[in-house]
Amino acid sequence: MGVIGDPIVQVMTPQTINPIFAARGANIVCVPLHIGARELDTAWAGLKAIRNLIGFGITLPHKQAALRLCDSLDPLAKQVGAVNVVRREADGSFRGYQFDGKGFVRGLKGQGHALSGRHCLMVGAGGAAIAIAFALAEEGAASLSIANRTPAKAEALAAAVNRAVGRSFARSGTAQPEPGQIIINATSLGLSASDPLPLAANLVDETMLVAEVIAKPEITPLLEAAGARGASIHSGIHMIRGQVDLIAAHMAEPQTET
């Protein structure tokens, strides 16, 4: 099994999923594969030609680009509009799946954070953000404000989620948190120590929970700054741990005909 992305040094999936494969007695090992956006189409053909490759995880920036390359899509991946796992099915086809949202929610709940009735602010509207938005609505969060550098993307995401859940749950907004909110950084800002913060740290207070999708570093500059201001913090590593057992079981189970 591979994990594809650009950059790839930050991925934690191999370290977390390989022990699960070993414990299950599955003859599977996960390795990172560094593939740039310009090489994705070429690499995809190569991945399909590797006959002992059962599939691969997908990280930024490929989660949405992979949609057009998959031979088929799981209904959730189609609804979300982003793929984070591709599995080779019994007929050899590549089918896209989506585990990001489930993993994020499981990670929060596993650390004792309830989502039902909570108001949320999410920065970002890309592949992981889309999956998280749908998962938050499904879990019963009260509302979601989406801040994105391209407001139109935030507006489109909010409209799609509201249509899917049949209620006025999400809206486009700014990165201005309110007391008691769960704040989610669903951007790549924080992978590098030189990145700007996704929102101003002085807006964070002790009533908020600040959560990341970035797993490496486990404590990003945003989480460090938020913790210094008394906020509860939640590393992106919990999102990875929240979905790897689901992905491991999915990869190890018998494949289906598409």
Side-chain angles (χ1 to χ4, degrees):
M1 173 183 169
V3 180
I4 69 171
D6 181 24
I8 202 66
V9 67
Q10 82 284 356
V11 297
M12 298 293 289
T13 301
Q15 298 95 309
T16 51
I17 204 170
N18 282 330
I20 298 173
F21 284 143
R24 293 175 63 95
N27 186 24
I28 305 169
V29 64
C30 180
V31 297
L33 303 171
H34 191 177
I35 298 171
R38 293 182 179 178
E39 292 80 42
L40 182 60
D41 287 36
T42 303
W44 197 275
L47 292 168
K48 212 163 199 182
I50 302 172
R51 296 193 179 185
N52 67 333
L53 183 79
I54 62 167
F56 46 93
I58 303 178
T59 188
L60 58 86
H62 303 316
K63 293 184 179 186
Q64 289 165 294
L67 285 170
R68 62 178 175 80
L69 296 171
C70 290
D71 298 306
S72 64
L73 295 171
D74 179 74
L76 179 59
K78 186 179 293 186
Q79 179 190 49
V80 169
V83 171
N84 85 313
V85 168
V86 171
R87 188 176 71 171
R88 189 190 302 271
E89 303 300 327
D91 60 2
S93 66
F94 276 1
R95 185 170 177 86
Y97 296 86
Q98 176 53 249
F99 290 90
D100 275 334
K102 293 177 183 178
F104 185 80
V105 165
R106 288 188 74 192
L108 280 172
K109 293 171 73 174
Q111 294 300 302
H113 301 299
L115 285 163
S116 180
R118 293 294 299 271
H119 296 277
C120 306
L121 165 65
M122 181 169 66
V123 184
I130 297 169
I132 290 169
F134 280 93
L136 291 173
E138 185 178 340
E139 194 62 28
S143 69
L144 174 64
S145 179
I146 305 167
N148 192 63
R149 62 184 179 183
T150 307
K153 287 187 68 175
E155 292 166 6
L157 173 54
V161 174
N162 290 341
R163 282 195 303 271
V165 301
R167 63 185 173 105
S168 182
F169 165 72
R171 62 180 176 84
S172 173
T174 62
Q176 297 278 331
E178 298 175 3
Q181 279 185 322
I182 298 176
I183 302 167
I184 303 156
N185 175 35
T187 76
S188 61
L189 294 175
L191 284 176
S192 171
S194 61
D195 288 342
L197 295 181
L199 76 163
N202 63 0
L203 300 176
V204 177
D205 65 31
E206 69 281 357
T207 70
M208 302 170 187
L209 167 64
V210 180
E212 276 280 7
V213 300
I214 294 171
K216 187 177 181 181
E218 285 194 33
I219 303 299
T220 62
L222 174 63
L223 294 186
E224 187 173 358
R229 293 187 61 81
S232 299
I233 61 173
H234 181 82
S235 172
I237 192 64
H238 301 299
M239 174 177 164
I240 301 299
R241 292 171 179 160
Q243 62 181 305
V244 288
D245 56 338
L246 298 175
I247 295 171
H250 185 67
M251 286 297 187
E253 71 185 14
Q255 298 132 316
T256 59
E257 296 286 350
T258 59

